Amino acid sequence: MDEIQSEKEGGRAASPSSVVRMREENQRLAGENAKLKEAQAASSSRQQAEEHKTKGNNLFHLGRYKEAADAYSTGLAVGLDDPKLSSIMHSNRSACFQAQKCYLDALLDSAHALRLDANYLRAHQRRADALLSLGDCQAALKDLETLHSMGNTEVAAKLADCRIKARRPPPMDHYAVMGVPNNSSSSEIKQAYRQLALRHHPDKAADNMRSTAEIIFKYIQQAYAILSDGIQRKKYDASLHSARFRYQRMSSWHGGL
């Protein structure tokens, strides 16, 4: 009965109704205090995330792409509850991976960005760039058309280029998928496959990213199936060369790009 004793007035205990009101007021104040702490924590998280984003941007412009990606990763790890800012950092990190020719990681991050903000134009651009680098021009075409339909006229040349390729799609760039040069040895290709298959296995993906993870894993499986077989690899190299020559001719027929 501590509350009643503390509410004595003129030697009389507080009434039951006043005790109830006091408890309700205490609960209200406790709730407001909890909300204030949450707001302060959110503000602190956002401030930290913004600082890491700014650091990442500066490093990117200096060409220090790995360090920039690490800065964005740190910003994403602060527990930020801001989908738009998180989307920006995923998209920016995608650009870092693209610059390092880590196209699968670039594709994954751009998909993360679009999951958080489906209307973020820069993320559509990042995903299109990653898909084009991997050789999937038909998938890239969808993002470029989306960008163009949303008023982004800067992609007009790239869209025209992609439409030309989509008429007779070239083969996927399996070397770009594996992240290895065209003259890589069998052992180098096998090592790259093991690392990629482990890192990008769909079972490790969150439910809302599983579809993208499955696409990436399919790219990896297809690339390894071709490049690990000597005969198929020779045929593939020839088809890749032929496709590039055909595309150059098609581009010249259309007056260049």
Side-chain angles (χ1 to χ4, degrees):
M1 302 295 291
D2 290 338
E3 294 97 338
I4 294 176
Q5 291 174 359
S6 65
E7 286 290 310
K8 286 183 178 180
E9 296 179 0
R12 292 180 299 170
S15 66
S17 60
S18 63
V19 172
V20 171
R21 287 196 300 272
M22 184 176 179
R23 286 174 176 170
E24 290 175 347
E25 180 65 10
N26 286 339
Q27 290 173 354
R28 185 186 68 78
L29 291 173
E32 290 184 356
N33 189 46
K35 288 180 181 179
L36 179 61
K37 288 182 178 179
E38 288 177 4
Q40 290 174 336
S43 177
S44 176
S45 294
R46 181 178 179 83
Q47 183 178 354
Q48 291 178 54
E50 287 282 7
E51 289 173 356
H52 290 299
K53 179 173 74 72
T54 300
K55 179 181 178 181
N57 293 350
N58 292 336
L59 289 167
F60 181 87
H61 291 303
L62 290 172
R64 294 160 62 179
Y65 304 121
K66 186 180 184 307
E67 293 173 76
D70 290 342
Y72 295 130
S73 296
T74 303
L76 288 164
V78 301
L80 181 67
D81 186 19
D82 185 331
K84 286 189 178 296
L85 180 55
S86 295
S87 179
I88 290 170
M89 286 195 288
H90 274 295
S91 180
N92 288 1
R93 192 171 66 177
S94 175
C96 296
F97 289 136
Q98 181 77 16
Q100 296 176 85
K101 298 184 178 181
C102 300
Y103 302 123
L104 296 180
D105 291 316
L107 176 58
L108 185 62
D109 251 335
S110 60
H112 266 296
L114 287 168
R115 178 183 61 81
L116 293 163
D117 184 357
N119 295 318
Y120 186 29
L121 296 183
R122 188 62 61 85
H124 281 287
Q125 178 69 67
R126 303 293 190 218
R127 186 165 66 179
D129 288 343
L131 288 166
L132 286 171
S133 297
L134 293 166
D136 195 344
C137 64
Q138 289 182 314
L141 184 59
K142 296 178 182 178
D143 275 311
L144 292 174
E145 288 176 337
T146 296
L147 283 165
H148 198 259
S149 69
M150 296 172 77
N152 187 331
T153 57
E154 295 179 3
V155 301
K158 191 173 288 187
L159 176 58
D161 178 21
C162 195
R163 282 173 173 163
I164 291 172
K165 289 181 178 179
R167 292 173 187 173
R168 288 188 64 185
M172 286 284 297
D173 191 335
H174 297 317
Y175 294 105
V177 171
M178 301 295 287
V180 297
N182 292 32
N183 60 354
S184 296
S185 65
S186 298
S187 60
E188 288 171 332
I189 289 170
K190 181 179 288 187
Q191 182 180 9
Y193 168 73
R194 288 175 175 172
Q195 292 174 347
L196 290 172
L198 183 63
R199 186 160 80 245
H200 292 290
H201 198 284
D203 288 348
K204 292 187 174 182
D207 290 342
N208 54 18
M209 290 300 298
R210 189 173 180 88
S211 60
T212 300
E214 288 174 346
I215 291 170
I216 289 174
F217 196 67
K218 183 179 179 181
Y219 287 160
I220 296 169
Q221 295 289 91
Q222 290 175 338
Y224 184 65
I226 297 295
L227 299 184
S228 62
D229 184 297
I231 297 175
Q232 289 195 65
R233 183 177 178 181
K234 286 182 180 179
K235 291 180 179 178
Y236 168 74
D237 288 344
S239 69
L240 198 63
H241 177 75
S242 176
R244 287 171 178 166
F245 177 72
R246 181 175 68 248
Y247 167 65
Q248 289 173 354
R249 291 183 63 190
M250 291 173 67
S251 298
S252 64
W253 294 340
H254 287 79
L257 299 176

